[in-house]
Amino acid sequence: MKYVIIGASAAGISCAKTLRENGKDSSIDVFTDEAYMPYSRPIISYYLKSYVEKDNIYLNSPDFYKENKINIHTQCPVTAINAEKKTVTTAQGEFSYDKLLIATGSKPFVPPVENSENAVNVFTFLDMAMSEKIKSYAGADTDAVVIGAGLIGLKAAEGLRKICKSVTVVELADKVLPSILDDKGALMVKETLNKNGICVRLGDTVARCNREGNKVTSVTLKSGEEIPCSLLVIAVGVRPQTALAEEAGIKVNRGICVDKDTMETSLKDIFAAGDCVNSTDILDSCEKIIALWPNAVREGKTAALYMSGHGEKDSGSFAVNAIDFFGQQICTCGLIKAESAQELVSLKNGYKRLLVRDGRLIGFVLIDDAERAGMYTYLIKTKTPLDTLTGDLLDTPSFMMFSKEVRTERLTGGVKV
Amino acid sequence: MKKVIAREEHCLNCKLCEVYCRTAHSQSKDVIKAHLRENPVPVSRITVQGDNMLSVAVNCRHCDKPACVEACITGAMQKDPETGVVTCDESRCIGCMTCMTVCGFGVIKSGKFAVKCDLCQGEDMPACVKNCPNNALVYVEVGGAE
């Protein structure tokens, strides 16, 4: 069996690993346009703030790929998929496949910002190459401006704070991390950012760059404020990379459309996984892009199991995220708002907000109060009826909340001792 | 693989498993020094939940399909294909706590690194089992968990 995988990040590599675990003799070729061996994309912000060395960004040792006969083709973009001939065209020539995985991920969405074109100090922040460029460009006299207060923008800002003279984050929404936090949680994070020297401008955006030659020197906000800027990071969001799939005739609707159980696309023997696909959220049954690491890994694995004929239905997507800014730990899962949902809040330790609908947990926000957070994730994933549990849901979750039968079954895995 | 199985009918809520786990994962391996002298304070990877009426010790289940390994963003969390033991490579962990957020058993503790049970690798029997005074913890060959 010949497998070809386009993309060498979370979904691509988990697919390659799972394919190898399920078949010794197949050939596995992974193509990436990047110059690096497969690395952890979220780690680029830790590299920016010098928390990890460059040697420590990789997902596996080079030996791993040799031992498992997984051929990683770096700097080798795939330019076309020919579904009829079952080949892909790459910078290294044509490769044929029996089964193909598209795991092209996402690309930064760069909105038109007046006067920013071709400036040497305007960056995005999504891959290691960019992180290296920013790191070598930024210095102690740099005034950095980040457009966008999402996960990527704030991580860039945190990293830049370690290097630059000033860091200002400009966000169009009225709160930071609008996609994962409720108002109160977002306010706590904003306070932490402020305390650590990051200026945050909400409900505003960069209207125009002012420059000298090929360098941006300041930005003018929509509100009229002018902020000095010698380094601009545009991090307003990402878009799924679907061009290859679309050109090959695969059905795309924002993300690549896939069968939610198998990850197969509208064309036979072509699968897709990760940030480039529409996932179906088990909590609201909506098709959406869930551009988060654990989701991509799981989808890559599911695709591999079907590609290799060991199919096992996908266990379903939902958002889970853990991140920290300046030591403030934020864990979120599921939905942040839903119609007719009830909100349970505790400020006992840090901030805990649980979202309950129809007697089931459907989301949480935990800030500096994440002890045993995964037990809440379990309740969300399994849609456990909350009336089968005892105790206060807002207390630190424990196995004592389950009935004896459930507790024993889960802890012993059915083993009698 | 062999796993630690808790028998709640036998658990006395004495928390000696926690004491000896902490000691086994300390620098000094001395029960007094580990609890009074060491900085950073060693962390127990097993936790007794409940109260004096009913309690049970909970540690990593070393799942067949570990959610923590799947979710790890750096590759630090790995399940050994031969022994089945799930461990966190501290040199590669960045303390993002995604593993803690997805572990349905709530057995990963946060810190600079993810802290979890390693079944006292290299020892015949984990310290928690060895030092349980009432056989509430047993170390037995089992199939898989979740």
Side-chain angles (χ1 to χ4, degrees), chain A residues 40 46 56 58-59 293 297-298 301 312 322 329 331 370 372 374 377 398-400 404 407 410-411 415, chain B residues 8-9 47 49-50 54 56 61 65 70-73 91-92 94 96-97 100-101 103-106 142 146:
Chain A
S40 164
Y46 294 83
N56 243 345
Y58 298 101
L59 292 172
W293 189 270
V297 172
R298 205 202 61 256
K301 212 176 258 185
E312 197 178 299
Q329 182 68 47
C331 300
R372 301 183 199 150
T377 307
S398 109
F399 270 88
M400 291 303 147
K404 181 178 165 58
R407 179 168 64 240
R410 286 196 67 212
L411 287 176
V415 174
Chain B
E8 62 183 49
E9 318 70 57
T47 310
Q49 299 176 10
L54 177 66
V56 65
R61 302 291 83 214
K65 294 177 186 168
E70 194 171 287
C72 179
I73 66 169
S91 73
R92 301 179 65 202
I94 53 172
C96 73
M97 292 303 140
M100 184 179 77
T101 313
C103 170
F105 294 94
V142 297
E146 273 171 36

Side-chain angles (χ1 to χ4, degrees), chain A residues 17 39-43 46 51-52 56-61 293-294 297-299 301 312 315 320-324 329-333 364 366 370-378 381 397-400 402 404 407-408 410-413 415 417, chain B residues 4-9 47-51 54-59 61 65-67 69-75 78 91-110 112-113 138 140-146:
Chain A
K17 270 186 171 181
Y39 64 92
S40 164
R41 206 166 286 278
I43 222 169
Y46 294 83
Y51 190 81
V52 296
N56 243 345
I57 65 168
Y58 298 101
L59 292 172
N60 297 287
S61 69
W293 189 270
V297 172
R298 205 202 61 256
E299 289 180 350
K301 212 176 258 185
E312 197 178 299
S315 60
V320 192
N321 199 60
I323 198 163
D324 83 284
Q329 182 68 47
I330 306 162
C331 300
T332 62
C333 178
F364 64 69
L366 308 171
E371 198 181 347
R372 301 183 199 150
M375 293 187 78
Y376 287 129
T377 307
Y378 171 86
K381 187 176 171 181
S398 109
F399 270 88
M400 291 303 147
F402 297 109
K404 181 178 165 58
R407 179 168 64 240
T408 307
R410 286 196 67 212
L411 287 176
T412 63
V415 174
V417 282
Chain B
V4 177
I5 301 290
R7 306 193 290 177
E8 62 183 49
E9 318 70 57
T47 310
V48 181
Q49 299 176 10
D51 54 28
L54 177 66
S55 58
V56 65
V58 183
N59 66 349
R61 302 291 83 214
K65 294 177 186 168
V69 173
E70 194 171 287
C72 179
I73 66 169
T74 67
Q78 294 283 354
S91 73
R92 301 179 65 202
C93 176
I94 53 172
C96 73
M97 292 303 140
T98 306
C99 53
M100 184 179 77
T101 313
V102 299
C103 170
F105 294 94
V107 291
I108 301 176
K109 296 187 181 182
S110 70
K112 199 170 177 218
F113 312 111
V138 290
V140 291
E141 188 62 42
V142 297
E146 273 171 36

Side-chain angles (χ1 to χ4, degrees), chain A residues 379-407:
Chain A
L379 297 180
I380 293 174
K381 187 176 171 181
T382 56
K383 301 185 176 178
T384 302
L386 297 176
D387 60 9
T388 63
L389 307 177
T390 51
D392 186 347
L393 196 64
L394 283 167
D395 287 343
T396 299
S398 109
F399 270 88
M400 291 303 147
M401 67 188 181
F402 297 109
S403 69
K404 181 178 165 58
E405 290 70 36
V406 172
R407 179 168 64 240

Side-chain angles (χ1 to χ4, degrees), chain A residues 162-177:
Chain A
K162 273 213 116 175
I163 310 169
C164 302
K165 187 168 82 187
S166 76
V167 180
T168 305
V169 177
V170 187
E171 165 63 48
L172 193 57
D174 59 359
K175 61 181 175 189
V176 300
L177 298 175

Side-chain angles (χ1 to χ4, degrees), chain A residues 225-394:
Chain A
E225 185 185 359
E226 188 175 338
I227 301 172
C229 173
S230 47
L231 188 160
L232 180 65
V233 178
I234 300 179
V236 295
V238 294
R239 293 286 180 270
Q241 301 224 62
T242 57
L244 263 184
E246 259 172 296
E247 284 157 20
I250 292 165
K251 195 175 159 210
V252 171
N253 178 17
R254 219 162 95 79
I256 299 170
C257 301
V258 291
D259 180 303
K260 70 177 168 46
D261 296 326
T262 67
M263 298 293 141
E264 193 160 12
T265 67
S266 60
L267 292 184
K268 198 173 171 294
D269 295 331
I270 302 182
F271 295 71
D275 294 12
C276 62
V277 309
N278 293 330
S279 303
T280 305
D281 193 321
I282 60 164
L283 299 171
D284 58 11
S285 306
C286 286
E287 276 197 15
K288 55 178 96 160
I289 312 256
I290 301 183
L292 296 168
W293 189 270
N295 194 57
V297 172
R298 205 202 61 256
E299 289 180 350
K301 212 176 258 185
T302 298
L305 290 174
Y306 275 93
M307 291 162 80
S308 59
H310 297 80
E312 197 178 299
K313 266 192 183 179
D314 190 72
S315 60
S317 299
F318 58 98
V320 192
N321 199 60
I323 198 163
D324 83 284
F325 296 104
F326 303 103
Q328 184 176 56
Q329 182 68 47
I330 306 162
C331 300
T332 62
C333 178
L335 308 176
I336 47 169
K337 61 176 179 203
E339 245 174 74
S340 65
Q342 181 199 354
E343 203 177 282
L344 308 175
V345 173
S346 161
L347 297 169
K348 212 155 75 186
N349 302 310
Y351 175 60
K352 180 180 284 193
R353 175 190 186 260
L354 307 176
L355 202 61
V356 174
R357 186 184 59 197
D358 301 332
R360 286 168 170 83
L361 190 62
I362 56 167
F364 64 69
V365 171
L366 308 171
I367 300 181
D368 287 338
D369 188 8
E371 198 181 347
R372 301 183 199 150
M375 293 187 78
Y376 287 129
T377 307
Y378 171 86
L379 297 180
I380 293 174
K381 187 176 171 181
T382 56
K383 301 185 176 178
T384 302
L386 297 176
D387 60 9
T388 63
L389 307 177
T390 51
D392 186 347
L393 196 64
L394 283 167

